[in-house]
Amino acid sequence: MPRDLRDPTGSQTIDCAFPVQGETIPVDHGYPLYAALSAVPGVGPWLHDAADVAILSIRGRYLRPGKLQLNERSRLRLRLSAVDLPRTLLLTGKTIDIDGQPVTIGVPQTQLPHPAVALYAHVVTTRNGEDAQRFDAEIGRQLDAIEVTGKPTRGKRRVLRIKDKTVVGHSLLISELSAEDSLRLQSLGLGGRRKMGCGVFVPWRG
């Protein structure tokens, strides 16, 4: 088993995808989603303390400025250690409140991350990320720290709200990855706020 898909306890990294039902949610829903999941009994304390859990943004149809419409392909996706899967099953059947909108969580499916030569993150945040040059330098430093060799390409500037703060980040494409580095980057991510949809990489489809 590739070492980059294992946490320090030896558990494998998996993606857990829950179908969701509802009407609309905010486009910028990273913090409201994290807050909603943290309010679920039996899940909140673990989610708050877990250092290796990432929550991917829910996809939907762009409806109007600031809103996404959920559809049959919308999923709540968690990336976590396989040993923590039983905790996430407590979400099944629950209805959560995302910024005033009820969303019901269905029965999940699991899969392993798979390698891709290029990975994309919708938003990555770093300290002083509003400065493009500092952002680039920090991304290079973090890639070196996790021993991933690839070509980073900074994309659009993103602005998101976390509580009462405005946070600036950028979309990010990492290309020219080996299979091992691709899996490691998916497992570890870059930057902060991974529980709010930041710094989580998925295969780039162009």
Side-chain angles (χ1 to χ4, degrees):
M1 195 69 63
R3 59 187 171 87
D4 38 84
L5 282 183
R6 292 180 179 272
D7 70 13
T9 69
S11 178
Q12 192 169 21
T13 296
I14 62 171
D15 283 351
C16 186
F18 298 81
V20 291
Q21 291 184 333
E23 296 298 327
T24 63
I25 60 174
V27 172
D28 180 11
H29 59 266
Y31 178 74
L33 174 58
Y34 171 62
L37 295 176
S38 297
V40 176
V43 175
W46 160 75
L47 184 60
H48 182 269
D49 294 336
D52 58 349
V53 176
I55 303 172
L56 286 76
S57 297
I58 298 174
R59 296 182 180 180
R61 185 172 71 88
Y62 188 76
L63 188 63
R64 59 181 183 274
K67 291 292 182 182
L68 285 179
Q69 184 176 52
L70 301 181
N71 55 41
E72 66 279 0
R73 292 179 293 178
S74 297
R75 296 291 185 271
L76 164 63
R77 299 181 186 272
L78 305 182
R79 184 167 293 168
L80 69 164
S81 297
V83 293
D84 288 324
L85 179 60
R87 294 181 182 271
T88 68
L89 297 181
L90 296 173
L91 294 171
T92 303
K94 298 294 192 298
T95 297
I96 59 175
D97 183 307
I98 302 178
D99 199 32
Q101 298 297 315
V103 175
T104 300
I105 302 172
V107 178
Q109 293 183 328
T110 60
Q111 65 180 24
L112 298 175
H114 62 275
V117 69
L119 299 175
Y120 174 79
H122 179 71
V123 59
V124 178
T125 63
T126 66
R127 182 175 297 179
N128 299 314
E130 66 277 3
D131 184 302
Q133 291 185 332
R134 289 188 178 184
F135 177 87
D136 292 344
E138 178 61 16
I139 291 303
R141 187 195 69 77
Q142 290 190 26
L143 287 172
D144 288 343
I146 63 174
E147 300 181 350
V148 167
T149 300
K151 178 183 177 182
T153 302
R154 172 173 35 85
K156 292 182 179 180
R157 182 178 185 268
R158 309 284 190 191
V159 178
L160 56 154
R161 296 283 300 178
I162 297 178
K163 292 186 178 180
D164 57 348
K165 296 181 179 179
T166 299
V167 177
V168 177
H170 298 270
S171 61
L172 186 64
L173 178 70
I174 309 290
S175 57
E176 301 178 10
L177 291 164
S178 67
E180 182 181 11
D181 284 358
S182 178
L183 292 174
R184 184 180 302 146
L185 183 56
Q186 289 179 75
S187 180
L188 299 177
L190 293 175
R193 304 179 176 91
R194 294 185 71 220
K195 295 174 186 176
M196 301 173 200
C198 303
V200 188
F201 286 85
V202 297
W204 172 245
R205 293 179 173 84

